[in-house]
Amino acid sequence: MTVEVSSLKELVEQASGTSGSPDTQEYFVNMGPQHPSTHGVLRLVLKLDGERVLRCIPVLGYIHRSIEKISEHMNYMNCVHLTDRMDYLSSIMNNWAVAKAVEEAAGIEVNDRIRYIRTIFAELERIQSHQLWWGVLGMDLGAFTPFLYGIRDREVLNDVMEETIGARLTMNYVLPGGLMADIHPNFVNRVKEFIKYFRPKLDEYDDLLTNNVIIQERLRNVGVLSAQTAVQYGATGPVLRGSGVAFDLRKDHPYGVYDQVDFEVPVGTVGDSWDRYWVRVEEMRQSLRIVEQLLDNIPPGDFLVKKLNSKIKLPEGRYYSQLETARGILGVFITSDKKDEPYRLHYRSPNFNNLWCLEPMIKGDYIASLIGAMSSLDLVIPDIDR
Amino acid sequence: MGIVTDKLPGALEKVPGGNVLVTRFDEIINWARANSLWPLTFGTSCCAIEMLMATGGPRHDMARFGAEVARPSPRQADLLILAGTIVKRMAPRLRTLYEQMAEPRYVIATGACTISGGPFIYHSYTTVRGADEIIPVDVYVPGCPPRPEQLFHGLLTLQKMIKEGETIREPGVRRKPVISALPEGVTMEDIQGEMKELLVKENVVDVHQAVDKLKWPSGTNDGS
């Protein structure tokens, strides 16, 4: 595999210099940074021939907030809250990733209660994230109704989580060494109510969108990503599993209490947008299954194993820890030099790698297919730029 | 003309000779502007989920305030809700977006990032410390991210400002920017009560009273 390195300026010059056939002319179009279906401020430079996309070059940096650099001036407890703002739709899982890295480095063992509650909340957050994605996918394809359905059910789940955590979006619930607070006394009952409420709603989702002919026509055989390409580009999460690679950290390298629960990893076959759609809808069902199994067995114990003060110092060395968020693998790489602040803190964010799959997926296809394919990737732009 | 003069007292005045002179036309214009704010779909990060998606959803329905018509093009929008951090690379684009919007245009800065830089204020080499360094801001809504109810309070504040502020005689003259945080002692119930009161006050017309107020010339009534 050869890698071509060329600047944007060179590409534009190449295109303007091409003669081509007199009937068609290749030209460049900027999509973004302010565009409703790029889900934020992603800029795509599209090289078009008529309506065909010849090249699709993502240009980043419009929401680069230098989170990694700020983290070098913060202690390990404070690093956690910035991860909320990276992938804001899976904030608890982001918190957990940092907490897991710090706990592994400092040699802290958390008790079973903390592991159970973290797993339950991670799965609830996964459902919440997929609900929003489902609604937005409908909106991107021109149907506004799914958005209303998705947000409606998301608010129900939001209320349940808000009762314990106190925030709606940037939750900051998982700390190194435990949790911010114990679960609310009503929590178990309300989650049970939610599961009872949401199971039939998933069938309603199927009736509304999944079995819709237009949606199937626009997603099937669009944006095909082969398993080999997906692995080469480092795609993870539903994007990788949609391409037929059954790799899920929850199954393959279990953390939390995922080794004690029974669930399946949905895997696609073709690798088109439809498979990614189906994998995510199926994941919502599996997440409900996981939560259902854990709810009744939350063991008693403390919600905080060890109250870490802000001066926690990690031994010198490099530590890497990773877990599966709603979009793929989030890795945390800490380089410590015995101080209370990290020497370097790097995040391997899932969206960054998933984004680059866009070009091999969409090459030669129509520009309208690009919108559906990009929506099936479920990108969160602040996580790409950090 | 009876209903108009009763419903909008002072907007129209009768002058000798039977003609009508419009004296307070800008009040009507401001009333119309305040109740049909069209926001631009512009969200950079986390706040966009709360400000544009949750508020557009069925529970916190932004359509109640006439501001649900989100436009992707700045040419058609007149309210810019800044949802999310503004970084240095985005700053020129934001300025362009603002200048592409047609007058009158209003800006609500939501979240800590657009007010001051928020969590990214120290040691960040890219964040713009407050969006008001780039474009003028009318209302600040603090929070990280603010709840949808807070945005609605900000929106009501902006509507109040528009209704009282700019006139066609003095275009471009605005009030100073205000913070739409809840002051001490004020609860959401108070605001909801006020909203309900305003809605009732503005939209409910008692038909019987309105008929009583109509002064018919004595000769036209058939019954007597």
Side-chain angles (χ1 to χ4, degrees), chain B:
Chain B
M1 299 306 292
I3 292 172
V4 177
T5 42
D6 284 344
K7 190 94 204 305
L8 301 163
L12 302 169
E13 279 178 16
K14 280 184 180 157
V15 290
N19 288 326
V20 170
L21 182 68
V22 180
T23 54
R24 299 178 64 189
F25 196 57
D26 37 65
E27 201 167 278
I28 300 174
I29 290 179
N30 285 342
W31 170 79
R33 276 176 183 169
N35 289 314
S36 67
L37 290 165
W38 288 12
L40 176 74
T41 50
F42 176 73
T44 49
S45 59
C46 349
C47 285
I49 301 291
E50 290 282 88
M51 297 299 104
L52 295 169
M53 293 192 172
T55 54
R59 180 178 293 182
H60 313 277
D61 190 6
M62 214 176 176
R64 292 178 295 164
F65 308 100
E68 88 284 12
V69 196
R71 293 281 120 181
S73 165
R75 306 280 183 197
Q76 300 165 350
D78 47 15
L79 171 64
L80 180 58
I81 298 176
L82 294 173
T85 325
I86 307 298
V87 299
K88 281 176 186 163
R89 193 164 185 192
M90 195 63 203
R93 275 85 185 174
L94 176 62
R95 180 79 211 181
T96 315
L97 281 174
Y98 178 74
E99 281 167 3
Q100 280 175 343
M101 285 165 67
E103 282 276 4
R105 53 200 173 193
Y106 307 98
V107 180
I108 297 181
T110 60
C113 293
T114 51
I115 295 174
S116 66
F120 311 102
I121 191 166
Y122 300 118
H123 305 298
S124 172
Y125 53 88
T126 48
T127 314
V128 173
R129 269 71 168 173
D132 47 7
E133 291 185 6
I134 309 162
I135 54 173
V137 174
D138 289 307
V139 178
Y140 296 98
V141 181
C144 191
R147 297 176 65 86
E149 291 94 333
Q150 273 173 289
L151 176 70
F152 291 152
H153 189 249
L155 196 68
L156 287 175
T157 315
L158 181 67
Q159 287 186 348
K160 211 180 267 178
M161 278 169 67
I162 295 171
K163 279 175 188 164
E164 293 174 2
E166 204 173 350
T167 63
I168 50 172
R169 293 201 196 87
E170 298 171 85
V173 175
R174 301 258 183 90
R175 293 276 177 103
K176 278 182 186 170
V178 291
I179 290 182
S180 82
L182 294 184
E184 272 184 33
V186 177
T187 59
M188 274 313 292
E189 279 117 43
D190 296 359
I191 295 165
Q192 278 166 355
E194 192 189 333
M195 272 158 48
K196 215 178 264 177
E197 224 168 72
L198 270 175
L199 276 174
V200 170
K201 203 170 144 194
E202 287 184 0
N203 294 330
V204 177
V205 178
D206 192 335
V207 181
H208 299 290
Q209 277 184 15
V211 169
D212 287 345
K213 277 183 188 171
L214 290 175
K215 288 170 188 167
W216 298 96
S218 56
T220 53
N221 204 334
D222 292 329
S224 58

Side-chain angles (χ1 to χ4, degrees), chain A residues 34 60 64 66 159 162 168, chain B residues 41 50 59 89 126 147:
Chain A
Q34 200 272 319
L60 308 178
H64 174 59
S66 58
D159 281 351
E162 196 188 338
R168 281 169 55 89
Chain B
T41 50
E50 290 282 88
R59 180 178 293 182
R89 193 164 185 192
T126 48
R147 297 176 65 86

Side-chain angles (χ1 to χ4, degrees), chain A residues 24 43 76 86 107 126 148 158 161 165 195 198 202 211 242 282 284 286 296 306 308 351 361:
Chain A
T24 61
R43 176 177 163 210
Y76 292 103
M86 275 163 38
R126 195 184 307 275
L148 296 175
N158 229 338
M161 295 168 79
I165 298 171
I195 293 173
F198 189 57
L202 269 170
N211 297 334
E282 204 56 33
M284 282 197 261
Q286 298 300 330
D296 288 327
K306 188 179 166 194
L308 298 171
N351 288 298
M361 269 164 53

